[in-house]
Structures are given as C-alpha cells and as structure tokens.
Amino acid sequence: MLKLGVLISGGGTNLQAIIDEIEAKRLDAKISLVISSKPDAGGLERAKKHGIKTLVITKADHPEREAYDKAIVAALKDAGAELVVLAGFMRIVTPTLINAFKNKIINIHPALLPAFPGLDVQQKAIDYGARFSGATVHFVDEGVDTGPVILQAVVPVLQNDTAKTLAARILNEEHKILPEAIRLISEGRVSVQGRRVIIKDAAENDTPLTNPKTR
Ligand code: GRF
C-alpha cells in the first residue's frame, strides 16, 4: 500500500478527492501525514475528520527556505511517506525536498503546462484569449511547474467565463486526475524517460477538439 504525504495550504478539495478515492477502495494508498503551510487551512479539518495525522509548518517556524524544507522532509520521512503530493501547496520547493524524494513528488496545477505556470492561471488563460485550459499533474523538479507531465485534462474556456467559473470547471478535473496519477504510480505503471512520462497499458485518447463551435 503506497504511503502518501500530502502538502496543502488551502481548502484541500484535492486532498478530499484523494481521501474519497481511498475510502471508496478505488485507490490502494494510505495518507500517512498531511502537512499544511497555513494553520487555518480548511484541508486540516478535512484530514482530522478522517483521522489523518496533520502537522502545520509555517514560514514563521522556519523563515529560511532550506530549513523549512528540512523540517518538511524530517516529518515526511518520520511518517514513512513514499510519495509526496503537493495539493494546493503554495510554496516553491527547494532541492532539499526534491533530492530527499527524487521523482517522488507530484503536483497538481490548474492549467495545461507549459502554458500558464505560476499563479492566477485561470485569469491569465482568459486574458490571453485561450480557447482551452485544464489541469496538469506533473513530477516536481527544480523549476516552477516544469517537471515531467503525468496526466492532463482539457476544459474549454467559454467566452463569458470568469476566473471563478473557469477555476471551478478545472477543479472538477483536478479531482479526477490527481487521484488517478497516484493510482497509476501505486500500480507501478509510470516511468520517466528524460522529459517524458510513459504510462504502461494506457488506452490513448486521439479525439481532436475545437472550441468554440462556430456552426
Ligand atoms: C487548486 O486549483 C489547485 O490546483 C491549486 O490550488 C487550488 C485549490 O486547491 N494549486 P485545493 O482546493 O486546496 O485542493
């Protein structure tokens, strides 16, 4: 059973999606520890409701970035985490954490990387006039949102979308592909070849999409 360490900073709906999949016995994993960078993160309540161990490590506890990540690593190792899941974790990780869990850290990002890395990406997609956006689960490397892509889900950007409506549409897909990526890793079906991720026995989707439909 794959032991997970989940890092959060906010509401934790992605954490909840993982919890739900585990409890529905659709994901053979155990969340050994939830670490939040914010003491008031809603995700902490979600974890506690399901009897999952939680820990808060704030910037104030370790103002220096490497020391912060050292504390994170110690807690994750102590909890026996084998895969680290960044689920709405609003900090940039340093080589201290990356090297302690080489190719064992995944992140969920609400855009189709490499388009729109960073923050406020739903608004950026709307402002750019993009016709599609979506969600990406990727391995974490030393860049920001630059690691090898595991899964992506595409959603249309509608002409009357606001950041809020687009974010909600993307979030729905995040809740599907993050647990699925964890499942694939737990099943040993994911390998990394340089920049590319290969998923064993994947039935590929070759359906082209166009947006908007103009006639
Ligand atoms: C999600 O869009 C996630 O992609 C981003 O933070 C948002 C909130 O995530 N990183 P959650 O509800 O805290 O899981």
Side-chain angles (χ1 to χ4, degrees), residues 48-211:
K48 287 175 191 158
K49 253 195 222 138
H50 293 270
I52 297 167
K53 195 160 165 266
T54 62
L55 182 64
V56 174
I57 305 180
T58 67
K59 186 167 184 236
D61 297 329
H62 304 281
E64 208 279 309
R65 301 172 76 79
E66 293 291 348
Y68 184 93
D69 278 10
K70 252 175 97 180
I72 294 271
V73 169
L76 289 170
K77 293 288 184 192
D78 188 47
E82 295 162 303
L83 180 69
V84 182
V85 181
L86 309 186
F89 186 60
M90 303 312 273
R91 282 184 63 100
I92 307 290
V93 295
T94 70
T96 298
L97 176 50
I98 292 166
N99 295 334
F101 288 93
K102 209 102 189 94
N103 262 342
K104 296 281 181 210
I105 309 175
I106 64 173
N107 181 46
I108 177 80
H109 182 75
L112 287 179
L113 294 172
F116 309 116
L119 298 175
D120 303 325
V121 296
Q122 299 88 346
Q123 189 59 56
K124 285 176 182 161
I126 291 168
D127 295 347
Y128 188 91
R131 292 301 191 179
F132 288 100
S133 189
T136 302
V137 184
H138 63 93
F139 284 110
V140 172
D141 65 9
E142 307 208 355
V144 175
D145 300 327
T146 52
V149 171
I150 304 168
L151 288 177
Q152 290 188 304
V154 178
V155 303
V157 181
L158 306 181
Q159 298 188 128
N160 60 355
D161 259 332
T162 61
K164 200 161 171 292
T165 57
L166 179 57
R169 192 172 311 123
I170 293 172
L171 199 56
N172 264 334
E173 299 311 309
E174 294 178 45
H175 296 160
K176 297 174 201 162
I177 64 171
L178 182 57
E180 178 58 23
I182 298 167
R183 187 177 299 113
L184 290 166
I185 291 168
S186 74
E187 293 167 351
R189 291 175 55 192
V190 177
S191 59
V192 185
Q193 292 171 10
R195 244 234 76 86
R196 296 182 68 233
V197 173
I198 305 299
I199 294 174
K200 197 163 168 294
D201 304 334
E204 295 190 280
N205 178 349
D206 63 358
T207 312
L209 298 168
T210 303
N211 180 44

